[in-house]
Amino acid sequence: MTSWGGASARGPLRPGGHKELHMACRAHLYIHLIIEEVVMSNKQVSRGRRSSRKKRPSSKENFGKGRQLGYAVREALDDYYSRVSHYNTRATHKRRAVTFIHFCRRHGVADARDIDREFVLSFGQYVRQRIEGEYQWPDGTVDAQVSVAYAHNLISTMNVIMRAFRGDNALKISGKEVLGVCRKSVRTREIQADVVDTKDAVDRAMVEGFCLAAAVMMLARAWGMRVREAILADLDRMMREIKRTGEAAILEGCKGGRKSRDRTVRANEFRMEALRFAIEVRPKGSKNLLSESDTVKRFLLREINPCRLILKKAGVPSFQELRAGFAQDVYEEILEGPSPLKQPIRDQVMDRIARAEVSRQLGHNRISVASSYIGGTRHAA
């Protein structure tokens, strides 16, 4: 028998015994409460009673994604693509979704459940009018003109939003049909990113103190890397592979996670110059252009964004144009002649082989993408 002083009939409790006894009592109490709650819940279910009936998400405002349409759209996109991947895709759709949300508010639609096929077709007509020129609302507000490519992107984002909300493609519309025009991805203007202009931009960037961005310019022009690929490229690995095989694979930072050993680029004098320059200016102790405490986002804001204007001053429109210059070099090296942007195609067989190689070295899986860099195939002689 236990006395009020906490000592049992067999003798006093060992040191810490009061604490153990208290914890054991609490555990027994919790188990008893859980069992009682489960029993009561089962009794209520067997009697056909519930405290509150669960509602299907489709019966709630904005399909259960939130009361405000803008917030609900962002939540729907996050749930559709998952919150742990597709970061750039989600961010891009969210930026474009602002146009669709604005259109909904203008027409008094605050609930995604009220959107029907007639409404999405009216949005398509609105976008079509913005291709032709500025769109003026009844209150005098003007929406700027958009390009054909961006108009198709707006329709695509609207389709994704409604599929994310509804879980089906019942309201999907064709951009080609509703806009009446196809996007033009075939390049027609000559590339403005020769090696001389690139090195001029590199010199300007270094004078301004953007040595790391200058290295990105060199890697993009010499190796055909995207900006993210140039930032994250394992420079030491590339150098080892070149010494062993004479070529290096582009593996880090690939778009959409398309990491493949098949994407190799053979080294030449200019490419080795770019690689050595990147190794020279990279942060101490780092295998790429990022320091240990740096992130890609901070690098873009600190180094890349200020250098976009520097590129333009040197005659290069964008970082993407540097990849186009690389693509043209690869094409002309294989054909031993000018690209379709300079002269008509003479050998269609070699043209297709060169396009396949350009697509591979740029990190694309489709030959047709090469037309965006080196021009189309309609000018065959």
Side-chain angles (χ1 to χ4, degrees), residues 141-313:
T141 305
V142 176
D143 290 342
Q145 184 178 7
V146 297
S147 65
V148 174
Y150 190 69
H152 276 272
N153 289 339
L154 292 176
I155 298 298
S156 175
T157 292
M158 187 274 296
N159 287 333
V160 171
I161 291 171
M162 297 315 301
R163 183 165 64 246
F165 272 131
R166 298 170 54 90
D168 58 37
N169 291 320
L171 299 183
K172 183 178 179 179
I173 59 176
S174 168
K176 179 181 178 181
E177 293 178 2
V178 74
L179 299 178
V181 62
C182 296
R183 71 176 82 201
K184 299 177 181 178
S185 59
V186 178
R187 188 184 185 103
T188 56
R189 68 181 188 279
E190 288 195 21
I191 295 170
Q192 301 174 336
D194 58 30
V195 175
V196 175
D197 290 340
T198 302
K199 289 187 175 181
D200 181 28
V202 168
D203 292 338
R204 290 168 180 260
M206 292 186 68
V207 169
E208 296 292 332
F210 299 110
C211 295
L212 296 177
V216 172
M217 295 177 190
M218 289 289 286
L219 292 174
R221 181 60 182 83
W223 293 88
M225 295 182 182
R226 301 178 178 91
V227 170
R228 184 181 178 86
E229 292 168 348
I231 295 172
L232 297 176
D234 189 337
L235 305 176
D236 295 329
R237 174 190 59 76
M238 291 181 64
M239 188 63 76
R240 289 194 303 268
E241 291 180 359
I242 291 171
K243 291 179 180 179
R244 187 171 64 251
T245 64
E247 58 185 21
I250 311 299
L251 300 176
E252 294 79 21
C254 297
K255 184 178 180 179
R258 291 193 288 265
K259 183 178 180 180
S260 174
R261 275 281 173 184
D262 294 335
R263 187 186 171 190
T264 55
V265 180
R266 182 159 294 279
N268 58 24
E269 183 178 349
F270 176 53
R271 290 166 190 162
M272 290 303 299
E273 178 186 353
L275 185 58
R276 293 192 188 99
F277 176 71
I279 292 175
E280 181 182 348
V281 301
R282 68 181 176 181
K284 186 176 180 181
S286 176
K287 63 182 180 180
N288 51 41
L289 297 181
L290 288 181
S291 63
E292 293 182 359
S293 60
D294 206 358
T295 64
V296 173
K297 184 176 181 179
R298 285 201 291 264
F299 188 97
L300 292 173
L301 295 174
R302 185 185 68 250
E303 295 278 341
I304 299 301
N305 288 353
C307 288
R308 299 187 191 277
L309 183 58
I310 294 177
L311 269 177
K312 291 180 179 180
K313 289 180 178 179

Side-chain angles (χ1 to χ4, degrees), residues 8-146:
S8 64
R10 298 181 181 179
L13 291 172
R14 65 179 184 277
H18 290 288
K19 185 176 181 180
E20 293 180 359
L21 182 62
H22 177 66
M23 292 179 66
C25 291
R26 290 184 63 182
H28 283 295
L29 178 61
Y30 288 152
I31 293 173
H32 174 74
L33 292 174
I34 292 172
I35 293 174
E36 184 178 3
E37 183 177 353
V38 171
V39 171
M40 291 299 295
S41 177
N42 289 338
K43 286 181 179 180
Q44 290 179 353
V45 172
S46 64
R47 294 173 185 173
R49 291 187 286 113
R50 285 186 179 272
S51 56
S52 61
R53 177 171 294 181
K54 292 185 178 180
K55 296 181 180 179
R56 295 175 58 189
S58 59
S59 66
K60 294 183 180 179
E61 195 172 7
N62 288 313
F63 295 93
K65 300 298 183 181
R67 293 185 176 181
Q68 295 184 353
L69 183 60
Y71 174 83
V73 167
R74 293 189 294 271
E75 286 294 299
L77 290 171
D78 287 339
D79 293 340
Y80 180 72
Y81 285 108
S82 87
R83 299 171 187 268
V84 295
S85 62
H86 298 88
Y87 299 103
N88 290 334
T89 302
R90 285 187 287 137
T92 301
H93 280 307
K94 287 176 183 178
R95 286 195 298 268
R96 296 182 197 150
V98 174
T99 302
F100 182 60
I101 296 168
H102 172 73
F103 181 81
C104 292
R105 289 173 178 167
R106 283 281 188 175
H107 288 78
V109 176
D111 191 341
R113 295 176 301 172
D114 298 333
I115 298 175
D116 54 15
R117 189 160 191 82
E118 183 180 354
F119 185 82
V120 297
L121 288 174
S122 66
F123 175 72
Q125 292 302 315
Y126 157 76
V127 176
R128 181 171 183 169
Q129 292 182 44
R130 288 187 63 181
I131 294 177
E132 300 168 355
E134 296 180 342
Y135 181 88
Q136 186 171 359
W137 293 95
D139 62 358
T141 305
V142 176
D143 290 342
Q145 184 178 7
V146 297

